[in-house]
Amino acid sequence: MAWQGLTAEFLQVPAVTRAYTAACVLTTAAQLELLSPFQLYFNPHLVFRKFQVWRLVTNFLFFGPLGFSFFFNMLFVFRYCRMLEEGSFRGRTADFVFMFLFGGVLMTLLGLLGSLFFLGQALTVMLVYVWSRRNPRVRVNFFGLLTFQAPFLPWALMGFSLLLGNSILVDLLGIAVGHIYYFLEDVFPNQPGGKRLLLTPSFLKLLLDAPQEDPDYLPLPEEQPGPLQQ
């Protein structure tokens, strides 16, 4: 019964959050028996010369072996991805997916310069950054240790990575890409002479968003509420 309740609760999670979280968990689980991290990491030579194109995706899904770091990252992926999808991207699934695509492509290009092999943590930090900038007045409690305004959260995550002895290059990449997206989507269009530069492709909207009703549409008499007039 508990498993059924957990499944029902998970199915209520928005589609993009549910799909990405499940893909991350399944990739890590498969790594225990079926896969090796060497089959998942980003390698330009293997992608473009050996046509192992799946590496463009799997490097965003692998967060290391089961352990504290994995569960820590999954907590932030699930929480902030869901809050974005249920908040500022509510009813805009295509725009949310496009944000993932924009961030993934830009991180891949910039990751080439830093020889980064796994970019899932950078994508997590990007999600946190965008959420924090769109909710600047929210106060965040960081594991019961610190309380601060939301915009400081990405930097707290970077400091936590530093305390764990990890490289902060991945966190800085996520912050940089998150800021670029936030500037192009939320800041520049509202400047004098500014406009939206990140336009979600129409095919994504047709595929993922529910069709909008025409405000000028007048229903036929038989479609209008009330008794049908003969």
Side-chain angles (χ1 to χ4, degrees):
M1 295 296 294
W3 176 255
Q4 292 178 345
L6 184 62
T7 302
E9 179 69 23
F10 186 69
L11 291 176
Q12 293 179 4
V13 174
V16 177
T17 301
R18 185 170 67 243
Y20 183 58
T21 305
C24 293
V25 173
L26 291 174
T27 300
T28 297
Q31 179 262 152
L32 297 176
E33 296 289 344
L34 303 174
L35 300 174
S36 162
F38 294 104
Q39 298 171 285
L40 305 174
Y41 78 100
F42 176 61
N43 184 314
H45 174 77
L46 295 178
V47 171
F48 299 111
R49 298 291 180 88
K50 301 295 183 179
F51 304 107
Q52 297 181 8
V53 294
W54 67 81
R55 294 177 183 272
L56 293 171
V57 176
T58 56
N59 81 92
F60 288 99
L61 304 178
F62 182 68
F63 287 85
L66 288 176
F68 175 78
S69 179
F70 171 77
F71 289 108
F72 177 82
N73 279 287
M74 285 299 96
L75 172 66
F76 277 83
V77 165
F78 184 79
R79 177 175 174 80
Y80 291 97
C81 188
R82 181 176 185 175
M83 287 199 294
L84 275 175
E85 192 169 4
E86 292 181 339
S88 59
F89 285 100
R90 187 177 183 85
R92 300 168 52 217
T93 301
D95 292 337
F96 194 42
V97 170
F98 184 65
M99 186 191 77
F100 270 76
L101 294 174
F102 172 81
V105 170
L106 191 54
M107 287 177 193
T108 299
L109 295 175
L110 295 176
L112 290 171
L113 303 177
S115 299
L116 300 176
F117 303 119
F118 293 103
L119 297 172
Q121 184 176 335
L123 185 59
T124 301
V125 174
M126 174 190 170
L127 295 173
V128 172
Y129 185 91
V130 173
W131 175 86
S132 70
R133 295 305 298 265
R134 289 183 171 178
N135 298 272
R137 298 183 183 276
V138 175
R139 292 187 64 79
V140 177
N141 186 286
F142 193 68
F143 291 106
L145 300 175
L146 298 171
T147 301
F148 42 75
Q149 299 295 115
F152 292 101
L153 181 57
W155 303 100
L157 289 178
M158 187 181 71
F160 191 68
S161 294
L162 189 62
L163 287 176
L164 293 178
N166 300 327
S167 171
I168 63 172
L169 190 58
V170 175
D171 298 80
L172 287 173
L173 176 61
I175 290 173
V177 174
H179 184 73
I180 291 172
Y181 177 84
Y182 172 75
F183 177 80
L184 294 177
E185 183 70 10
D186 293 20
V187 178
F188 183 68
N190 298 315
Q191 300 296 316
K195 62 179 181 178
R196 286 194 65 189
L197 299 178
L198 300 180
L199 301 177
T200 303
S202 299
F203 78 91
L204 279 180
K205 290 183 176 291
L206 290 173
L207 183 65
L208 300 173
D209 288 349
Q212 296 182 352
E213 295 185 1
D214 185 352
D216 298 324
Y217 171 72
L218 295 176
L220 297 173
E222 59 267 27
E223 295 177 338
Q224 296 180 6
L228 179 63
Q229 302 295 325
Q230 297 293 339

